[in-house]
Amino acid sequence: MKMQINGKAVESYSGEFFYIINPATGELIDQVPKGTEYDVEIAVEAASSAFNCWASTSPQQRARILYTAAGIVRQRKDELAILLTREQGKPFAESKNEIEGFANVLEYYCGLASSFHGDFIPVPQNGYSFTIKKPLGVCAAIIPWNMPALIMAWKISPALITGNTLVLKPASNTPLTNLTLASILSEAGLPPGVINIVTGPGEVVGESLVKSPQVKKISFTGEARTGKRVAELAAGGMKRVTLELGGSDPMIVCDDANLETAVSGALRGRFYNCGQTCTAVKRLFVFESVAEGFIKKLEASIRNLKVGNGLHENIDMGPLNNCRQWEYIKELVADVEEKDEGRIVAGGRVPEGSAYSRGYFFEPTLVVDVQRESRLLKEEVFGPVLPVVQVKNLEEAIEEANNTCYGLGASIWTKNIDRVRTGCEQLNAGIIWINQHLKVAPEVPFGGAGESGIGKENGPDALSEYLDLKALMLKI
Ligand code: NAD
C-alpha cells in the first residue's frame, strides 16, 4: 500500500519501503513507503491548505461524512478484521470488535456535532462576555501497533468533528488497516488533505511531525519513554499535547470476591490481544485467605487457552506482534527463572510444533509467589505473562498497587461497598473498574495519571483537547 497525502496514494521521496510481516506465519503481507522529513512537510502542507475550508463546514456536515464512513466500515467489517489480524496477530473475533469499536467511536462523536459552542457569561457593571471555540488547525496523531484501528478512531473522531485537519503516523508494523480506513473516509466524502497518512520510522516521521511549525497539537499513544521525547520536542513550539502512555494495571481480588468471575476477568484482562493492551492486568494481588483456590482455578483456565494463528477457528490468543516484543517476553521469563523470583505454574515457553515455528508465539504464562524486586512487577510487561502476589488485606494491596510510576487503570473485585469506596479513593489510576477490567466505551473518558500520560480521550471532554477557547468582553 502507499501513503495517503492530499487524497492521493503516493510513494515516499526516499523510494524505500518497510515490509509488513504476518506475526503468526512470518509471511510478507505487503510493503509501505519509508517516509522522510520531506514527505511529512508535504503532508502537513496538504493538511494546512485543507484547514480553512474544512473548519468552515458546519459540524453537522462533517458528521454526515463521518457517519457515512462508519457505515462503510461496518459493511466491510470482516475484510478489515482479516487485514487487522494478518498485520497485528490478534484473533479474528478481537479484530472484529476493534473494527466495530472504530465505527462506534466515529458515530459517538457525530452525535456530539451540535454540542461544542461558546457561552454567554454575564459579568458585573453592564458588561457582556462570550466565549467562542475554534479548531486548532493541523493536528498530528501518532499511534502504536497494539490497537491501531481503535486508537485511530480515538484521535481522528474528536479532531475532525471539531474542524481540525490531520496528519497521522501509524506504527511501522501495522499501517495497513489505518491506510484502508483512511481511504474509506475519503470514499465517504472527506475532502482531500483533511486526513493524511505518512508511514515510516518514528524517529524520522514522528519527530518531524512533532517539530513541524504548522502542527498545533500532537496526540500521541505509545510507550512512556517515547511520550517523554514527544513532550520534550513539543515544548519547543509550546504545542498542545495529549499523551496516552503505558500502564502497569493492578487487579485486586478480595476475600469476598466471586472467584469464578474474577478468574474470567483475569484471563480476559491479561491475555486479550496477547497481553498487549495498555490497560491489561499486569499485576494481580489476591488476598492470602483465598489465594490457593483462586490460583488453582486460574491455572486450569490458563492451560485451556488455545494459542494459534488468529485466523484459525476457536483461537483464544494469537502471537505477539513483533520480534522485539517476543524477545523481550522470553528474556523476562528466563530472568524470573534464573533469579528464582517467582514460580511458573503455567506456560513459560515458546510452544512447540511446526505451526509455531515462524510466528512470535508464547504460551500464556502464570507466575506465582513473585518477589517484590522482580522485573515482572517493576516494568510494563506487554505480553502474556501474569504475575500474582499474595497480600494480607486491602491496605497492603493498595500500597503495592500504587507502588509504580504508572497510573492508567486498576480494578478491585469485591462485594463490599466500603472496599469499593476505599479502592476508588486511594488507587492511583485514571480509570477504576469494579468487578471487571479492561472495558472501555466511547462515552467514558480514558487517560492516565503519573507516567501514564496527560489529557483524556473518549467522552465529551476529549473535544476540548482539539478546540481553542477564546473569551470576548464587551462594554456597550
Ligand atoms: P512506541 O512508543 O514504540 O511507538 C508509538 C508510536 O510512536 C509509533 O507510531 C512509533 O513509530 C512512534 N515513535 C517512535 N519513536 C518516536 C519518536 N522519537 N518521536 C515520535 N514518534 C515516535 O510504542 P509501541 O511499542 O508502538 O506501543 C506500545 C506502548 O503503547 C505500550 O507502552 C502501551 O502501554 C502504550 N499504549 C498506551 C495506550 C493508552 O491509551 N494509554 C493505548 C495503547 C498503547
Side-chain angles (χ1 to χ4, degrees), residues 9-204:
V10 296
E11 303 284 6
S12 161
Y13 279 82
S14 69
E16 293 177 39
F17 296 93
F18 263 129
Y19 298 107
I20 311 301
I21 305 292
N22 182 333
T25 61
E27 69 170 322
L28 175 69
I29 312 171
D30 205 337
Q31 58 181 34
V32 294
K34 190 169 178 182
T36 62
E37 289 168 16
Y38 187 57
D39 296 305
V40 170
E41 230 176 84
I42 310 246
V44 170
E45 197 50 55
S48 191
S49 304
F51 174 67
N52 282 342
C53 187
W54 181 244
S56 62
T57 56
S58 71
Q60 290 72 20
Q61 170 60 11
R62 294 176 214 145
R64 277 194 285 275
I65 295 171
L66 300 188
Y67 204 78
T68 306
I72 303 173
V73 168
R74 288 192 192 287
Q75 277 163 15
R76 291 176 56 184
K77 184 170 65 186
D78 284 7
E79 169 213 332
L80 285 160
I82 290 171
L83 181 63
L84 181 55
T85 292
R86 288 183 74 216
E87 68 173 343
Q88 204 279 343
K90 62 184 69 185
F92 178 63
E94 292 183 18
S95 290
K96 269 214 303 206
N97 273 344
E98 188 172 337
I99 298 298
E100 271 171 24
F102 178 93
N104 290 342
V105 175
L106 224 57
E107 287 167 356
Y108 169 74
Y109 281 98
C110 292
L112 296 186
S114 308
S115 71
F116 48 92
H117 45 70
D119 278 326
F120 167 68
I121 310 164
V123 289
Q125 292 160 354
N126 298 334
Y128 292 92
S129 110
F130 302 90
T131 55
I132 54 172
K133 291 182 179 175
K134 293 280 196 188
L136 302 172
V138 179
C139 300
I142 302 178
I143 63 179
W145 46 261
N146 66 329
M147 302 231 167
L150 189 64
I151 292 170
M152 176 178 180
W154 288 3
K155 299 193 183 312
I156 68 165
S157 310
L160 293 179
I161 200 74
T162 46
N164 298 278
T165 57
L166 275 164
V167 180
L168 182 142
K169 189 208 120 30
S172 302
N173 36 358
T174 55
L176 304 177
T177 311
N178 294 136
L179 285 162
T180 311
L181 289 167
S183 71
I184 289 177
L185 284 155
S186 301
E187 185 188 331
L190 200 70
V194 173
I195 187 165
N196 307 275
I197 302 213
V198 182
T199 50
E203 298 73 20
V204 179

Side-chain angles (χ1 to χ4, degrees), residues 110-311:
C110 292
L112 296 186
S114 308
S115 71
F116 48 92
H117 45 70
D119 278 326
F120 167 68
I121 310 164
V123 289
Q125 292 160 354
N126 298 334
Y128 292 92
S129 110
F130 302 90
T131 55
I132 54 172
K133 291 182 179 175
K134 293 280 196 188
L136 302 172
V138 179
C139 300
I142 302 178
I143 63 179
W145 46 261
N146 66 329
M147 302 231 167
L150 189 64
I151 292 170
M152 176 178 180
W154 288 3
K155 299 193 183 312
I156 68 165
S157 310
L160 293 179
I161 200 74
T162 46
N164 298 278
T165 57
L166 275 164
V167 180
L168 182 142
K169 189 208 120 30
S172 302
N173 36 358
T174 55
L176 304 177
T177 311
N178 294 136
L179 285 162
T180 311
L181 289 167
S183 71
I184 289 177
L185 284 155
S186 301
E187 185 188 331
L190 200 70
V194 173
I195 187 165
N196 307 275
I197 302 213
V198 182
T199 50
E203 298 73 20
V204 179
V205 172
E207 294 209 5
S208 348
L209 254 178
V210 177
K211 287 191 275 192
S212 168
Q214 284 164 284
V215 170
K216 305 297 179 211
K217 188 214 157 81
I218 298 107
S219 180
F220 170 86
T221 299
E223 282 185 35
R225 197 183 32 188
T226 324
K228 286 179 190 172
R229 172 74 181 144
V230 167
E232 207 178 283
L233 293 174
M238 205 55 85
K239 298 177 185 192
R240 291 240 219 144
V241 288
T242 300
L243 301 171
E244 297 292 356
L245 311 177
S248 183
D249 286 15
M251 166 170 176
I252 299 174
V253 181
C254 301
D255 53 3
D256 63 329
N258 177 328
L259 294 188
E260 299 289 337
T261 327
V263 165
S264 322
L267 277 192
R268 184 177 149 78
R270 176 70 273 196
F271 301 107
Y272 192 82
N273 199 13
C274 197
Q276 305 163 117
T277 306
C278 51
T279 49
V281 173
K282 297 191 181 124
R283 297 168 297 144
L284 194 150
F285 301 100
V286 58
F287 280 29
E288 280 170 2
S289 51
V290 292
E292 195 183 336
F294 175 77
I295 289 169
K296 266 200 187 126
K297 284 182 209 286
L298 187 58
E299 180 189 335
S301 307
I302 289 176
R303 287 184 190 280
N304 272 337
L305 291 177
K306 201 166 164 212
V307 180
N309 183 330
L311 289 180

